[in-house]
Amino acid sequence: MNNRSLDQLLEDLKQDAVNQEQIRHLDVRAGLSPFLAGTITKEDEPADASYKALLKNSRGRAVGFLICSNPVNTELVARNTAMARKAKRRLPSPLNNVILEPLLEGRYEKLSWAIFDLKKTLAENLWQWRLQKIRIAPALMQWLADKARTTRQPIGDFHLAGAVSGPLQELADDNGFPGEIRERTLKAMERLAKGAWSPYWILSHNDLWKGNVLLPGAGQSGEQPKFYIIDWAGSKTEGFAFFDLIKLTCNLNLPDFYARRLVKRHCRIMECDSQDAMSYLLAGIADMGLNLENFPHHVYVKMSVELCGRLARILGTKG
């Protein structure tokens, strides 16, 4: 598909989407709602990238957001919305109110698309972001704790080999990882085998960072949560604790003393020794490694080293 025909396909898709009866109340004008520049590089079309358009009404006011998949991965958006609904069902109200569902979704010539109510991204300006972080970080961390507490479920003995020890063994055997992480992985496996660590599953997002957190839209009526969390495509209802926590702690650059309190709270929720915070993190890393899809292995290793290093520093252990 050449660039011109792809551009026309996207314009036709947008026209079809904004004319749907269910969103007529938004008064969207397709001509005033261009796709965002640089959304993806059309020369290589990475399979995990999507096209995005800011939807504007007849007065030129932004009222919504259209996202659609690319021809390489036509199910990208459909999978995202399906996993978001699954996560929302797993959480009780009001915890699930932070999961943003589409106003409308569909397919156009195999491309999946969805339209969302307009929300605000977190500030890029350093000083505005610092003020936002003071307000948002405690609420995010409380939500993570409540998510772990309400979705915690035992991993039965029948599932331990396939869900925990098997993936950990693959991680320990991966020569792409530094020796220290592989040694920590073997230690986690040893504690699991001895019964010193009895892991639980929880709902995990698995890509929780600043870019996937949104704020309520300006001037929107009704009671709203303090934040919304998007991009649930990689989430798991049978995931591992501490991965979301440590990744967000790194991304928000939270102080070690504060992060240490958060880790201790998670340990109490998961009824585990503090050293098994690392066991959980490694289990989440190992689980992710089983299905990297379009995530380059060297980037996966780099991320894992960063997360393990941060947790080790928080716990006051070497490395």
Side-chain angles (χ1 to χ4, degrees):
M1 181 180 293
N2 59 49
N3 286 352
R4 182 175 182 182
S5 62
L6 176 57
D7 289 340
Q8 188 58 56
L9 173 62
L10 293 173
E11 286 302 314
D12 291 344
L13 180 153
K14 179 176 63 179
Q15 188 72 50
D16 182 75
V18 302
N19 283 332
Q20 299 288 325
E21 183 65 34
Q22 296 94 322
I23 62 163
R24 288 283 174 87
H25 65 285
L26 295 179
D27 187 31
V28 175
R29 293 294 183 264
L32 297 177
S33 307
F35 277 92
L36 301 179
T39 300
I40 78 171
T41 304
K42 295 177 183 177
E43 286 74 17
D44 53 17
E45 293 185 328
D48 59 347
S50 57
Y51 298 98
K52 304 175 182 69
L54 189 63
L55 303 180
K56 297 183 179 181
N57 62 16
S58 57
R59 299 189 299 274
R61 178 174 174 267
V63 292
F65 200 75
L66 168 67
I67 181 170
C68 70
S69 61
N70 65 70
V72 178
N73 186 356
T74 60
E75 292 298 307
L76 176 67
V77 174
R79 175 186 172 190
N80 198 325
T81 56
M83 295 303 293
R85 281 192 294 270
K86 187 175 182 180
K88 198 175 184 82
R89 289 194 300 268
R90 185 73 181 85
L91 280 170
S93 179
L95 293 179
N96 61 9
N97 291 346
V98 308
I99 300 177
L100 200 59
E101 291 190 284
L103 299 173
L104 185 64
E105 60 185 310
R107 281 180 171 77
Y108 187 85
E109 294 191 18
K110 297 185 179 180
L111 299 186
S112 55
W113 59 267
I115 290 177
F116 291 89
D117 191 14
L118 188 65
K119 305 299 179 185
K120 296 193 302 182
T121 58
L122 294 172
E124 294 185 7
N125 176 274
L126 178 61
W127 294 107
Q128 288 180 326
W129 163 235
R130 285 179 175 175
L131 291 175
Q132 283 182 343
K133 186 165 74 168
I134 291 171
R135 182 171 65 90
I136 293 298
L140 274 168
M141 296 305 161
Q142 183 61 54
W143 181 81
L144 281 177
D146 292 338
K147 173 174 72 73
R149 185 179 295 108
T150 57
T151 64
R152 192 188 73 168
Q153 56 177 323
I155 304 176
D157 292 342
F158 178 79
H159 297 288
L160 280 178
V164 187
S165 58
L168 284 173
Q169 184 65 63
E170 291 200 31
L171 179 59
D173 293 339
D174 190 336
N175 292 326
F177 280 88
E180 187 168 28
I181 287 184
R182 296 164 66 193
E183 289 173 9
R184 291 183 185 278
T185 303
L186 291 172
K187 183 178 180 180
M189 293 174 62
E190 181 182 350
R191 289 183 59 77
L192 181 68
K194 290 180 177 179
W197 172 44
S198 299
Y200 290 85
W201 274 320
I202 68 164
L203 170 67
S204 57
H205 181 280
N206 292 329
D207 191 21
L208 196 51
W209 66 291
K210 177 183 175 183
N212 283 334
V213 179
L214 302 178
L215 302 179
Q220 294 182 354
S221 59
E223 186 175 349
Q224 298 188 74
K226 289 183 178 180
F227 58 86
Y228 293 92
I229 294 177
I230 61 171
D231 197 0
W232 289 83
S235 65
K236 298 191 71 171
T237 54
E238 295 177 342
F240 293 96
F242 292 93
F243 188 89
D244 287 345
L245 175 65
I246 301 305
K247 182 162 186 176
L248 195 58
T249 296
C250 284
N251 186 249
L252 299 185
N253 195 26
L254 298 181
D256 284 355
F257 74 89
Y258 179 46
R260 191 171 298 114
R261 283 167 32 201
L262 299 173
V263 167
K264 288 181 178 179
R265 178 168 66 178
H266 255 54
C267 287
R268 291 193 296 270
I269 293 170
M270 304 310 295
E271 299 179 353
C272 70
D273 189 275
S274 61
Q275 64 184 303
D276 289 319
M278 184 66 74
S279 304
Y280 269 113
L281 178 59
L282 290 166
I285 290 170
D287 186 58
M288 177 179 289
L290 297 179
N291 189 20
L292 290 177
E293 295 185 348
N294 302 294
F295 197 25
H297 186 268
H298 70 280
V299 179
Y300 160 67
V301 171
K302 181 180 179 181
M303 176 204 70
S304 302
V305 170
E306 178 186 7
L307 296 184
C308 290
R310 180 69 200 275
L311 179 56
R313 193 170 77 240
I314 291 170
L315 295 173
T317 54
K318 184 180 177 182

